[in-house]
Amino acid sequence: MSNAATVSQRISKPHLAIKGGYKLSGDLTVSGAKNSALVLMTASLLTECPVEISNIPALTDIEGMSKVLRTMGVKLKRQSETINLQAENLNHSDPPYELVNGLRASFFCIGPLLGRLGEAKIPLPGGCRIGARPVVEHIRGLKALGAFVKVEHGVVTASVPGINKRLKGASVVFDCPSVGATETVLMAAVLAEGKTTIENAAQEPEIQDLARMLNMMGAKVIGAGGPTISIQGVKKLFGCNYKVIPDRIEAGTLLIAAAITRSKLRISPVIPEHLSAVLQKLRDCGCQLKIDKKGITIIPGEIQGVDITTQPFPGFPTDLQAPFMALLATAKGTSVVTEKIYENRMQHVGELQRMGASIRLQGSTAVVEGVPQLSAAPVSGGDLRAAAAMVLAGLAAKGTSKVEGLNHLDRGYEDLEKKLNSAGSQIQRHEL
Ligand code: EPZ
């Protein structure tokens, strides 16, 4: 194929055309948290009563989860940012392979299905580009609660023995503070007989959000957000109206967009303690932050390099490692970025290098030498946060970048280009 054809062939994929060099200004709105909304939707399986969840972002992952729940018999309707769900008559507990395989979060259904029906059959969520993403901890926890679990032909089949098919409370100690495993065991334990304690639990804000909603439904959960969670099982849960917390990862992404374009910008709503590690790193690299009742205003100074190591919450979040690296590529001085959560979350390094970034990669450690100016290029994001990082780099690069990987971006960011354009950027979406 001729060079022109390969270039045009490359450009013909859906992409964002980003004209770099524009400042941002004003106020940007943060949507509801994707990684909370998804698990809260699965919690509706725990009751036959109606559940209303508001502040739900418009994302392809949310549409995917809606499809999965509907196949199991959940009545679900969406009106703008609110979803009404009712799992009155769950007709079966095995969502189709092709739906689950595309959406890792749908594996969370296994906990509530076991708690509610005493049986579940869920395809194993595949690995993805950032790592193998095993579910060993999830399965260990469900077995501790008395479930029989077998994994064969890529499907996890679980059932609870005994005439009333009810799980039994137990002590669960995780080897690693897995977010998904903590959510899975938490949702299985709320209807179990007796008390469950989860030790070495994940402490992310999304876990607290889930515990708050479960308690609103009549569950008895204490300690969520800390390393040890205690759950006193109850016989039945009821409906509730619940509002999802703001998305801390989107909030961080928008703050970094301001920093990389050296723009003053305000974002809201945001809960500052949900991203303290990120705010600290923004201050350390030269940004002033003004925190008010509902929002944060960022005023970047000269951006200096800083070192980042991703950790479980409350450490620096892995989901902002790629976006922050785009900023560090334009900083003065050297930064060392170490990814400790996923074994393969450095694919954005090659794409940043195509834009002129000076980065040396050794395994999951990147040494970033800041450059005065990135240059626009056709690039792509292999996971949703890498795609976001490429958008941010495009905002600062000289020229017009073409960022592919919109299928990833749209999974986790609601109208990102519309939000950025409303603040002054020049981004055009080109579908096929
Ligand atoms: C959640 O994934 C988020 N997804 C991820 O966000 C986020 O990166 C991750 O938590 C960490 O914060 C949702 O909430 C839908 P984990 P999850 O189980 O639950 C290892 C995004 O960009 N592990 O805490 O799958 C695992 O391999 C996405 O929005 C085991 O070793 O994350 C990984 O290296 C990406 N054994 C690490 O723990 C297990 O049994 C974190 O995984 C389970 C996990």
Side-chain angles (χ1 to χ4, degrees):
M1 192 184 286
S2 74
N3 185 35
T6 46
V7 170
S8 63
Q9 199 272 336
R10 186 175 169 76
I11 289 175
S12 67
K13 285 190 188 149
H15 63 274
L16 295 181
I18 304 175
K19 233 188 246 171
Y22 289 83
K23 291 276 187 197
L24 305 179
S25 63
D27 271 57
L28 286 185
T29 302
V30 180
S31 303
K34 162 182 89 87
N35 289 346
S36 184
L38 289 169
V39 71
L40 298 180
M41 288 170 75
T42 62
S44 68
L45 292 166
L46 286 162
T47 176
E48 59 196 20
C49 303
V51 169
E52 179 171 292
I53 308 175
S54 56
N55 200 29
I56 296 258
L59 302 170
T60 51
D61 270 8
I62 299 292
E63 288 159 29
M65 182 61 83
S66 303
K67 282 192 196 123
V68 168
L69 294 173
R70 283 199 180 102
T71 60
M72 290 189 282
V74 176
K75 278 188 280 180
L76 183 149
K77 79 173 178 305
R78 173 159 200 162
Q79 274 152 334
S80 99
E81 290 165 358
T82 298
I83 287 191
N84 288 282
L85 309 100
Q86 185 161 10
E88 193 172 6
N89 311 304
L90 283 179
N91 45 31
H92 58 278
S93 56
D94 56 342
Y97 188 87
E98 63 284 353
L99 282 184
V100 174
N101 200 28
L103 174 66
R104 175 180 180 74
S106 39
F107 188 72
F108 295 154
C109 296
I110 194 165
L113 286 173
L114 274 182
R116 175 87 183 279
L117 300 179
E119 61 186 27
K121 198 170 167 193
I122 311 267
L124 262 186
C128 63
R129 295 179 65 150
I130 62 178
R133 307 191 71 180
V135 287
V136 172
E137 298 294 313
H138 310 55
I139 292 171
R140 274 184 61 230
L142 294 174
K143 283 182 173 172
L145 294 177
F148 286 144
V149 185
K150 71 172 193 268
V151 183
E152 54 187 13
H153 314 304
V155 177
V156 179
T157 306
S159 61
V160 184
I163 39 164
N164 60 1
K165 300 183 85 167
R166 194 178 176 194
L167 293 165
K168 299 253 183 315
S171 162
V172 176
V173 184
F174 284 138
D175 285 347
C176 71
S178 157
V179 172
T182 303
E183 292 166 340
T184 297
V185 173
L186 181 50
M187 290 194 285
V190 289
L191 287 175
E193 191 176 339
K195 186 177 176 189
T196 297
T197 50
I198 305 173
E199 292 181 70
N200 196 20
Q203 304 180 44
E204 273 69 4
E206 292 75 30
I207 310 274
Q208 297 174 55
D209 217 22
L210 174 60
R212 261 195 299 275
M213 179 171 144
L214 291 172
N215 285 341
M216 214 181 252
M217 294 166 72
K220 293 186 169 53
V221 181
I222 52 176
T228 303
I229 305 176
S230 302
I231 305 110
Q232 184 60 43
V234 294
K235 277 212 170 54
K236 196 171 160 52
L237 289 179
F238 303 91
C240 70
N241 286 10
Y242 194 77
K243 181 173 182 183
V244 180
I245 51 172
D247 193 316
R248 61 193 171 99
I249 305 300
E250 186 196 20
T253 306
L254 296 175
L255 288 171
I256 298 168
I260 203 168
T261 54
R262 313 305 190 257
S263 313
K264 178 182 176 187
L265 191 72
R266 181 173 181 276
I267 63 153
S268 69
V270 62
I271 302 172
E273 54 271 22
H274 286 180
L275 64 169
S276 337
V278 181
L279 300 182
Q280 190 51 56
K281 287 298 175 183
L282 284 169
R283 289 192 187 96
D284 293 351
C285 74
C287 299
Q288 198 191 340
L289 299 174
K290 289 184 181 152
I291 296 179
D292 60 57
K293 267 206 294 300
K294 282 197 76 178
I296 296 178
T297 302
I298 180 168
I299 305 158
E302 182 177 73
I303 301 294
Q304 308 285 338
V306 291
D307 294 346
I308 303 270
T309 300
T310 63
Q311 300 286 355
F313 192 87
F316 191 95
T318 172
D319 295 346
L320 283 172
Q321 179 259 109
F324 213 99
M325 189 187 289
L327 172 62
L328 296 174
T330 70
K332 266 195 180 327
T334 306
S335 309
V336 178
V337 179
T338 308
E339 172 59 51
K340 290 264 194 195
I341 302 295
Y342 291 107
E343 61 268 32
N344 190 26
R345 200 173 207 178
M346 286 286 183
Q347 295 143 57
H348 46 285
V349 168
E351 297 299 291
L352 287 171
Q353 287 167 334
R354 288 164 57 78
M355 298 178 80
S358 169
I359 306 173
R360 273 180 301 115
L361 189 57
Q362 279 127 5
S364 281
T365 296
V367 179
V368 185
E369 302 290 347
V371 295
Q373 175 80 60
L374 293 174
S375 60
V379 289
S380 73
D383 75 271
L384 79 93
R385 307 304 175 185
M390 302 329 295
V391 173
L392 300 182
L395 294 177
K398 187 173 171 45
T400 301
S401 300
K402 287 183 173 41
V403 177
E404 292 173 2
L406 304 194
N407 55 319
H408 296 298
L409 191 70
D410 294 345
R411 292 188 53 192
Y413 291 92
E414 180 179 0
D415 298 333
L416 183 59
E417 77 271 13
K418 282 192 192 129
K419 290 188 181 181
L420 292 171
N421 284 343
S422 72
S425 65
Q426 300 285 317
I427 306 175
Q428 266 193 341
R429 176 177 281 248
H430 295 271
E431 303 292 1
L432 256 180

